[in-house]
Amino acid sequence: NPNTGACFAWISITCSLLILALRDKICLKYNIKKPLVIFLIFNTIIQLSVCSLSNSRSVLSTVFVMVTILSLFCLNKKLLYSIKNKVLKGVSMIVAVAISVSFVFVLFKAINIGISYTTLLRPAEKIEVDETQPNTENELSNSALISEAENLKEEQENLMSSSETVKDQENTELSPKPKNRVSTEREYQIQDVSNGRFEIWSSGLKVFLEHPFTGVGNKNILQNVRKYLSAEMLEKSPIMAANMHNNYLQVLVAGGILALLSLLAFLLYTIVNYLQIFIKNEDTFNIPQYIKILFGFIVGMLVQNLFDSNLFNFMNLSSVIMTWMFYGYLSYFMDNKSEKRYIESETSIVSNQ
């Protein structure tokens, strides 16, 4: 599954970034500074290629959110306070975010285009013909090829005579691809911008309205949603609607409104609480990097789950374990009782250095 593979790749990138942020402490303990850094950089490059080639828009949204949060953290709070004009301050933040997001988009496009040309580096295979063999088979194959070529020529003339076919070709072929270039575009079973998600979401909401308080349970979602799906969806992806491809809608349909409200209350309480801690801190720039990375990853995953299900075991168990483990680490570092003293001590250490 491209979305699952991209999610694993992004978790691997996050682990690499966290270890790089903690490399001084790790390297002092194990004395592996240079090999570790080289390995983590190489791993990050490989996993970025996996994310890019997957063409997973849900994971791309996670990357955008995480990069946006990290770019805002990189803006020194004192620098922002030095700008007294609120409009200019807001424009500065928007420009910084736009530059960061544009960089990610261009990077992913560049990776896809670069990999699409890798086959040009491979030498062409030579076909050797054994001239010692009799030519009877060759003559038969040549006559078959000639007749096949004549048939293809007739079909081509018929196609060229049809103006509608020519127009369709002009619309679909926006730019000719160089010879031997590999296509890195992802093929979707359902040809719409959401890959069938809009239809699944609307069907899920209809099922929720039938069972608003108790839900239908995870294992019963597909059989309840099928009656609202189109014939095309049932034919091309008969089991795709077993998952709502939206974690919050999944909880709503499976467990009812009370289950969703409980989940949202927990998530909003923790995230808003962490944001207040960041805002109250005098110098956001000096907050430890691993805390920023964890916070950016968690918020990015919460956004990604608007299009996938990686908070609970609906899609893959490994990403669920890693996500909640990172959430636990972030909660430990941002605990209300000890966070202020912890942040101040870390900030003073960085300032002294």
Side-chain angles (χ1 to χ4, degrees):
N1 187 304
N3 294 328
T4 303
C7 186
F8 281 137
W10 187 245
I11 290 175
S12 179
I13 292 173
T14 304
C15 291
S16 297
L17 294 177
L18 287 171
I19 297 173
L20 284 172
L22 294 166
R23 65 184 182 276
D24 292 335
K25 296 180 180 179
I26 296 175
C27 294
L28 286 174
K29 185 176 181 180
Y30 297 103
N31 194 23
I32 52 172
K33 185 172 183 179
K34 190 173 181 180
L36 177 66
V37 172
I38 293 174
F39 169 76
L40 293 175
I41 293 174
F42 180 75
N43 177 66
T44 301
I45 294 172
I46 295 297
Q47 303 302 338
L48 277 174
S49 301
V50 173
C51 287
S52 179
L53 289 173
S54 70
N55 290 296
S56 174
R57 289 169 290 189
S58 60
V59 173
L60 188 62
S61 66
T62 308
V63 178
F64 283 159
V65 171
M66 185 170 175
V67 170
T68 298
I69 291 175
L70 293 179
S71 64
L72 289 176
F73 280 148
C74 289
L75 292 175
N76 196 327
K77 196 173 180 183
K78 293 180 180 178
L79 177 61
L80 291 179
Y81 277 139
S82 64
I83 304 175
K84 297 181 180 180
N85 191 325
K86 293 183 179 180
V87 176
L88 184 58
K89 184 186 298 185
V91 171
S92 301
M93 295 177 67
I94 292 173
V95 169
V97 171
I99 292 174
S100 302
V101 172
S102 300
F103 172 76
V104 173
F105 182 79
V106 172
L107 176 63
F108 276 29
K109 281 292 183 182
I111 290 174
N112 277 8
I113 294 173
I115 292 178
S116 68
Y117 283 99
T118 52
T119 52
L120 298 178
L121 302 176
R122 186 175 60 187
E125 297 180 358
K126 294 182 179 180
I127 301 176
E128 297 181 356
V129 179
D130 189 359
E131 298 180 354
T132 61
Q133 297 295 329
N135 295 328
T136 306
E137 294 182 359
N138 292 335
E139 290 175 358
L140 291 174
S141 62
N142 288 338
S143 61
L145 289 174
I146 291 172
S147 62
E148 185 179 353
E150 290 176 352
N151 293 332
L152 290 174
K153 186 176 181 181
E154 291 178 0
E155 292 178 3
Q156 186 177 7
E157 290 176 354
N158 293 332
L159 289 174
M160 294 301 292
S161 63
S162 175
S163 59
E164 294 182 358
T165 305
V166 174
K167 288 181 180 179
D168 291 338
Q169 290 178 350
E170 290 178 353
N171 291 331
T172 54
E173 296 181 1
L174 299 178
S175 58
K177 293 184 178 180
K179 188 178 180 181
N180 296 329
R181 179 180 169 185
V182 175
S183 175
T184 56
E185 297 298 325
R186 179 177 170 185
E187 295 182 0
Y188 294 94
Q189 293 179 323
I190 308 298
Q191 297 302 321
D192 66 37
V193 68
S194 68
N195 193 25
R197 281 176 170 80
F198 291 156
E199 183 177 349
I200 293 174
W201 294 343
S202 62
S203 301
L205 288 174
K206 292 176 183 177
V207 173
F208 159 70
L209 293 176
E210 295 176 354
H211 309 273
F213 297 105
T214 60
V216 298
N218 286 318
K219 294 184 178 180
N220 300 322
I221 287 180
L222 181 59
Q223 67 184 46
N224 284 273
V225 170
R226 286 178 65 90
K227 57 186 176 182
Y228 298 113
L229 298 176
S230 64
E232 180 187 6
M233 174 69 74
L234 292 174
E235 180 182 357
K236 293 184 177 180
S237 289
I239 62 172
M240 186 175 180
N243 176 3
M244 290 288 97
H245 295 274
N246 181 315
N247 211 126
Y248 312 103
L249 182 59
Q250 181 91 14
V251 173
L252 183 65
V253 175
I257 187 65
L258 295 179
L260 178 63
L261 290 177
S262 300
L263 174 64
L264 292 179
F266 167 74
L267 295 177
L268 290 175
Y269 174 78
T270 53
I271 296 301
V272 171
N273 195 14
Y274 301 158
L275 280 174
Q276 289 178 348
I277 294 174
F278 287 130
I279 293 173
K280 290 179 181 179
N281 191 18
E282 294 182 356
D283 195 353
T284 310
F285 185 78
N286 284 329
I287 291 178
Q289 295 295 330
Y290 51 88
I291 293 182
K292 300 176 186 177
I293 294 170
L294 284 171
F295 184 77
F297 173 82
I298 293 300
V299 176
M301 288 298 291
L302 295 181
V303 172
Q304 187 215 11
N305 277 270
L306 291 170
F307 315 101
D308 263 324
S309 297
N310 292 311
L311 288 180
F312 304 104
N313 189 20
F314 299 140
M315 291 292 288
N316 58 84
L317 179 62
S318 300
S319 64
V320 174
I321 294 174
M322 295 300 295
T323 299
W324 286 108
M325 186 178 70
F326 285 159
Y327 211 123
Y329 278 123
L330 180 64
S331 299
Y332 170 77
F333 291 132
M334 303 296 288
D335 180 70
N336 290 332
K337 296 179 181 179
S338 60
E339 196 303 81
K340 186 176 180 180
R341 182 176 66 255
Y342 176 78
I343 291 286
E344 287 178 352
S345 63
E346 291 287 332
T347 304
S348 62
I349 291 173
V350 175
S351 301
N352 293 332
Q353 289 178 350

